[in-house]
Amino acid sequence: MFIDTHCHIDSYERHAGESFDALLERFQSASFTTERSSAKEKAVASKIAQPEAFIHVACDPADFDRARELSEKYPFVYSAYGIHPEYVETETAEDEARLLEFLAHPKCVACGEFGLDYHYGAETKAAQVKLFERHLQLGIESGKPLVLHLREADDDALAVLRTANLHDRNVHVHCFTGTSEFVEQLLQLDANIFVGFTGIVTFNNAQNVRDAAALVPLDQMLLETDAPYMAPVPFRGKPCHSGYIPFIADKLAEIKNVTVEELYHHCRENTRTCYGI
């Protein structure tokens, strides 16, 4: 069994034009092909599977209510609440107050995602660092595991993390896209570091991610989709959903030179250790 440790169910509904209920029905009926589908397409679709559970991440304050609704409606949906760095110029004190409120919800398993993203926000670097420091402190005080979004900001991210009191804290570095050097430095932090890999690990142009995955110990690896984004090959370019985890697992098992069953076992235990589910 496996858990999608990071997905955005509401965004999937918008991108795919399909409700979560409809997706769940397709999982139950295994209806991911049509009569016109080729034998190859049917073989590929047969690998799609429903996760044991979903960790739905709300990283826009406007989406907090929907996340709580999803977690209360479905026993197998858990929630995480954070404020993405893209909101660095619009976040308010009220947003942070609401964040603290939602972090106390019984189905909330983490604080995040939050962090640094210089890919699109290079002009706001200084402000992002200040926000990251503040959110990191809020997350630490909440006692929840931390979900970090770190994109093209290696040096600043490490500088902030090295000065924070992360001892014995569970930290999920979500959707890793960096270098081998960056992952090695993250793994050396005084924290319980877990590294999440998405469909990017299957992309032809993502050798850096595969190289990084080769360095992450099996007992520090997490499976995630970041749905609806970055669907793995052979679904690249389509809305991603949590049923595509097996394609990510296959690639990671190949990289780690273990069986898929062994990879699932480790990642499931890592999820239990990191998130308590």
Side-chain angles (χ1 to χ4, degrees):
M1 298 295 288
F2 61 88
I3 290 176
D4 187 350
T5 62
H6 193 111
C7 61
H8 306 277
I9 294 170
D10 50 358
S11 295
Y12 172 78
E13 291 179 320
R14 292 193 294 269
H15 280 69
E18 177 181 41
S19 71
F20 188 50
D21 281 333
L23 177 61
L24 293 175
E25 288 179 7
R26 287 207 289 154
F27 282 136
Q28 294 303 311
S29 61
S31 56
F32 291 95
T33 58
T34 68
E35 291 182 358
R36 295 183 178 181
S37 298
S38 66
K40 181 179 180 180
E41 289 171 332
K42 290 178 180 178
V44 168
S46 69
K47 295 177 61 174
I48 297 172
Q50 179 175 336
E52 178 185 355
F54 306 71
I55 298 179
H56 168 71
V57 180
C59 52
D60 178 348
D63 295 333
F64 287 176
D65 288 309
R66 174 62 170 152
R68 179 170 58 189
E69 174 187 316
L70 286 164
S71 70
E72 291 177 347
K73 180 178 179 180
Y74 304 96
F76 47 81
V77 173
Y78 299 84
S79 58
Y81 300 93
I83 301 177
H84 194 283
E86 69 180 286
Y87 301 111
V88 63
E89 296 182 305
T90 60
E91 184 199 312
T92 65
E94 180 183 356
D95 291 333
E96 287 192 2
R98 292 184 71 241
L99 172 61
L100 294 176
E101 172 193 339
F102 281 86
L103 287 175
H105 190 274
K107 287 293 291 289
C108 172
V109 295
C111 177
E113 65 190 277
F114 62 90
L116 300 172
D117 192 325
Y118 292 173
H119 184 76
Y120 293 113
E123 70 284 355
T124 60
K125 287 183 179 181
Q128 283 194 50
V129 169
K130 289 182 179 179
L131 189 66
F132 182 27
E133 291 173 334
R134 188 161 73 249
H135 285 176
L136 191 58
Q137 189 57 39
L138 289 175
I140 291 171
E141 292 173 359
S142 76
K144 302 282 186 178
L146 308 174
V147 184
L148 304 185
H149 174 104
L150 305 175
R151 189 178 187 190
E152 298 178 21
D154 300 7
D155 292 342
D156 285 349
L158 289 167
V160 171
L161 293 170
R162 284 168 177 160
T163 59
N165 182 14
L166 296 175
H167 182 67
D168 282 340
R169 295 288 177 178
N170 294 340
V171 179
H172 176 179
V173 181
H174 130 78
C175 188
F176 189 82
T177 58
T179 63
S180 298
E181 292 75 18
F182 186 40
V183 86
E184 286 182 315
Q185 291 171 309
L186 288 168
L187 292 170
Q188 292 170 7
L189 291 170
D190 182 21
N192 303 322
I193 298 293
F194 298 89
V195 183
F197 292 96
T198 66
I200 289 176
V201 76
T202 70
F203 294 181
N204 289 336
N205 62 348
Q207 188 59 45
N208 64 302
V209 177
R210 289 186 285 276
D211 291 342
L215 298 175
V216 177
L218 281 170
D219 61 359
Q220 291 179 268
M221 189 173 280
L222 293 172
L223 291 166
E224 58 168 297
T225 59
D226 202 17
Y229 314 107
M230 299 166 298
V233 174
F235 305 100
R236 187 174 182 181
K238 298 179 180 179
C240 183
H241 60 66
S242 300
Y244 293 158
I245 285 279
F247 300 89
I248 300 167
D250 280 353
K251 179 56 68 173
L252 289 173
E254 175 187 318
I255 293 166
K256 301 301 291 182
N257 194 30
V258 297
T259 65
V260 176
E261 290 74 20
E262 184 177 354
L263 183 97
Y264 275 138
H265 171 74
H266 280 281
C267 290
R268 181 63 186 88
E269 288 305 306
N270 299 342
T271 303
R272 198 186 317 277
T273 300
C274 183
Y275 288 106
I277 57 174

